[in-house]
Amino acid sequence: MHNRIRRRNAVATTLLSMAISASLVFAAVPMASANDDGNPHRKPASSHTEPAATMVTARNDRVARLLASMSLEDKVGQMMQPDTRHITPQQAAEYHIGSILSGGGAAPESGNSASDWANRADSYQHAVINETGIPLLYGVDAVHGHNNVADATLFPHNVNLGQTGNAELVKQIGAITASEVRATGSNWVFTPTLGLPKNERWGRTYEAYGENADLSAKLGAAYIEGSQAGESGSGLAGSDSAIATAKHFIGEGITKDGVNQGDVPLDYNSEAFRKILDSELLVPYRAAVQDANVRSVMVSYNSIGGVKCHGNADLLTNVLKRGLGFTGIVITDYNGIDQIEGNLNYAQKVAKAVNAGVDMLMVDEHEGTQPKWIAARQAVIDGVNSGDIAMARVDDAVTRILNVKDEMGLLENPQLAYSNKELLAQFGGEAHRAVAREAVAQSLTLLKNRSTDDGSTLMNDLPSMKRIVVAGSSANDIGMQSGGWTITWQGSAGDITSGTTIYEGLKTAGKENGQTVDLKEDGSFTGNYDAAIVVAGESPYAEYAGDRTADQLTLQQKDINTISSIRKTHPNLPIVLVLTTGRALTITDQLKQVDAVVMAGFPGSEGEGVADVLLSADRDFSGHLTTTWPKDANNIAKKYIDPNTVLFPYGTGLVKSQVN
Ligand code: GLC
């Protein structure tokens, strides 16, 4: 037992009885609230006293004793989540930090292998455990596998998983991702995204499962269960699980014009918003909290009727904590506090967020000349000392954090917090990649197919065609097929990690079928072929970098040119267009030039999964669209009103024998 903890335990006994009696006294006092009628959606709480019903209690004596022994500074340290780019292991120990994150692309200086990540994580844990005895929660954006790390298994993005509709598969993916995350010493994944994208101008459409609340609820809960159970199924206290994050709470997919971090153009207290909130937006979160017991919820950057979620007490305390009964950690998004509206300085914004119900502050970069986490930490300490933040609010936040750490076994056995080196052997291994490959195959969605002269169809005949040429800017590029959040925050084209490209998979499958499969990205091929497969889509992007105007929602010009060129030089050659895109694009012109269309989303590292369906006589398509695909992105606003503006309805998905 560490010296510091031993001293604490001696002191804690008396403090514990004082703390317990104080909380009883606190709980006995009726909470100040204008109209506490039990309706979870009453107007934003005016005072910062938290309704007792939303406060959690220590899950056992271990947590209670620890809390009672902590100073204000110790407690506030637990509420901070700086990025490894702006805090050293020594600082994390000195300031009793409770959590760290490594944001998109924050690879260790030593290199980007799983071992590099594990060594860095262990250096932070060693420093902090030695000083405080309380291990760190270490968060990463493992949104399609442990995607920051080289040679990790990269699963298809959530848009693909939505198209599979397969909860068991998604649960397995959550478990495998947790295993690869724990191998590197992280233990918290900032996923799944539960937004319901209704406007594909939004750059994060592909991070969600789709527009339907029930589908998002089913798959989100499955992912969370898988992640928090771990591959061994041991549960949160196991050594291969990771706490999951239901994000971003709430309304991100219905902002005006799909603007990321934008505004939902409805009054927060209006009947219209409450209806959408209850009937759609909350549905996936209710499943995440009440069915899957998600241990963290990340607040959304967007505002609702001009009120930023990060400062909305009714939303975070009454709707989430009280209404859904959420007992885990509410974490801000990355510097999300900065966006809280009003003429407030940083300390006032921090106080507003904590009073609104934020428990953990994800804070990075700088506030003035000092790291933001130092300013945020001081703001909470000063807020409590000035009375702007109730001590009970801090105690509730820290109790939530300590409860989760205890559920993970980290308080009883801090050694669990270190990287699980045994799991490194499966990191990016064949077994994991096989599951990713299966997910790719199941996600493929056939949108267009045509009949052939012999009474068959193009997609039925493709596996027996002798000579196939493959073109398109995404045909042979693992970076392009993986999308954003891959090695770096934005992702990038190129040979950026290990796996198989879509072309490599087609060539290998073709060889086994006795087919010749050649590559000519720009489509300038000569010679006779039986069919062309053009793999085209979007270049990688993440978050607001993916926001588009309606006119920009098209294929890249070079791919448009490739399709036109092939059609012009080979007027009768069957063309199969495989789309590697995170969302519906305006493809009306290309639709006239091609004979079949497959929505392949962003497949990730196992591109060979595409060939498993396209060039197999034994395997059919099983995917279905999870958004409503407009004929023209300029009509997005009408796609739910006027069916004539819809190219492919929600749920579209042909099998090879079907034509349209
Ligand atoms: C980003 C994203 C969020 C992510 C966080 C940490 O801005 O909005 O989804 O988990 O920051 O990288």
Side-chain angles (χ1 to χ4, degrees), residues 101 103 141 190 204 247-248 298 301 333-334 362 485 543:
L101 86 141
D141 289 286
F190 297 140
R204 306 194 75 167
K247 75 180 189 181
H248 306 79
M298 187 181 292
Y301 283 116
D333 201 335
Y334 184 98
M362 186 193 293
W485 295 104
E543 301 194 55

Side-chain angles (χ1 to χ4, degrees), residues 255 261 496 521:
T255 59
Q261 305 184 2
I496 60 174
E521 275 107 335

Side-chain angles (χ1 to χ4, degrees), residues 81 83 85 101-104 139-143 148 189-191 193 204 207 245 247-248 252 260-261 298-301 332-335 362 485 489 543-544:
Q81 187 187 70
D83 189 293
R85 288 172 282 205
L101 86 141
S102 290
V140 286
D141 289 286
V143 297
N148 283 311
V189 292
F190 297 140
T191 194
T193 291
R204 306 194 75 167
E207 293 188 60
T245 309
K247 75 180 189 181
H248 306 79
E252 57 187 338
N260 188 52
Q261 305 184 2
M298 187 181 292
V299 184
S300 190
Y301 283 116
T332 71
D333 201 335
Y334 184 98
N335 294 338
M362 186 193 293
W485 295 104
W489 174 41
E543 301 194 55
Y544 44 76

Side-chain angles (χ1 to χ4, degrees), residues 83-85 101-124 138 140 146 148-150 184-186 487:
D83 189 293
T84 45
R85 288 172 282 205
L101 86 141
S102 290
E109 288 174 8
S110 61
N112 196 24
S113 72
S115 298
D116 288 315
W117 280 75
N119 294 334
R120 175 175 66 176
D122 292 349
S123 68
Y124 279 93
Y138 183 2
V140 286
H146 199 352
N148 283 311
V149 186
T184 67
S186 292
I487 306 301

